[in-house]
Amino acid sequence: MTPYHVSEPSEAVVIWVTDALPKPSLSAWPQVVSGANMTLLCQAPLWGSSFILYKERDKKILASMNNTQDGAKFFLMHMTTRDSGNYTCSYQLRNNGSLWTQHSDPLQIIVTGTESNNTLLITFIRVSFLLFFLCLVLLAILCQRSIPVGEKVLYTSVS
């Protein structure tokens, strides 16, 4: 109707569209020997500009160093049993630097190895050195007791 009247603008509304970006998948050989290197692959159905790797209960976030056409590779060097745990990844699109996808399904990594064997070996070596040292001290004490103490030796000169 004439005349048209327009009301005052309402407050701004922020709209977040969830599940708009497909979540990525994370893959790797799930078991690695302690001391070895591991590569995790975070794949996404859309070309992302940045990929991030998360470890459950760890505040450290790893950014990808090697993006491929359909994802990113994360290189984890010299894995130890402390690196065992659940990992996830996410990505963001090149044209929207503030919107990150949901995390991938968790991938459990198990680091097995010889850390406990190394600790056992080091402990064995330390105990062996301690026993060797104690044996030397005991031998020194026994040798000292076998030498007569306080006896006078008379030397006579022959002329």
Side-chain angles (χ1 to χ4, degrees):
M1 305 199 156
T2 16
Y4 295 102
H5 294 291
V6 178
S7 66
E8 292 293 320
S10 65
E11 291 184 28
V13 175
V14 176
I15 299 175
W16 288 93
V17 179
T18 59
D19 296 333
L21 298 174
K23 72 180 182 179
S25 65
L26 186 61
S27 61
W29 187 255
Q31 188 167 347
V32 66
V33 176
S34 181
N37 301 331
M38 176 177 250
T39 301
L40 299 175
L41 178 61
C42 181
Q43 292 180 298
L46 302 172
W47 178 254
S49 63
S50 298
F51 291 81
I52 291 184
L53 181 69
Y54 305 90
K55 182 181 178 212
E56 187 177 66
R57 295 188 196 105
D58 197 347
K59 294 179 180 169
K60 189 173 21 172
I61 297 173
L62 302 173
S64 68
M65 296 295 170
N66 188 5
N67 290 4
T68 63
Q69 186 171 356
D70 61 346
K73 291 180 182 177
F74 296 90
F75 302 106
L76 305 178
M77 310 300 278
H78 308 293
M79 300 286 285
T80 67
T81 54
R82 285 176 264 136
D83 295 314
S84 294
N86 291 324
Y87 289 81
T88 60
C89 68
S90 65
Y91 68 97
Q92 69 180 175
L93 293 179
R94 205 177 288 261
N95 58 1
N96 189 342
S98 62
L99 181 61
W100 286 88
T101 63
Q102 295 179 31
H103 288 239
S104 65
D105 292 332
L107 175 67
Q108 183 179 22
I109 302 296
I110 300 169
V111 181
T112 61
T114 58
E115 281 186 334
S116 59
N117 293 342
N118 286 343
T119 304
L120 183 63
L121 180 63
I122 290 169
T123 304
F124 176 75
I125 290 171
R126 287 179 179 169
V127 169
S128 298
F129 278 121
L130 180 64
L131 288 175
F132 179 73
F133 178 74
L134 290 175
C135 287
L136 285 177
V137 170
L138 183 61
L139 183 63
I141 291 172
L142 290 174
C143 287
Q144 184 182 13
R145 286 190 176 186
S146 67
I147 299 174
V149 178
E151 289 186 21
K152 293 183 180 177
V153 178
L154 296 175
Y155 293 100
T156 58
S157 62
V158 179
S159 355

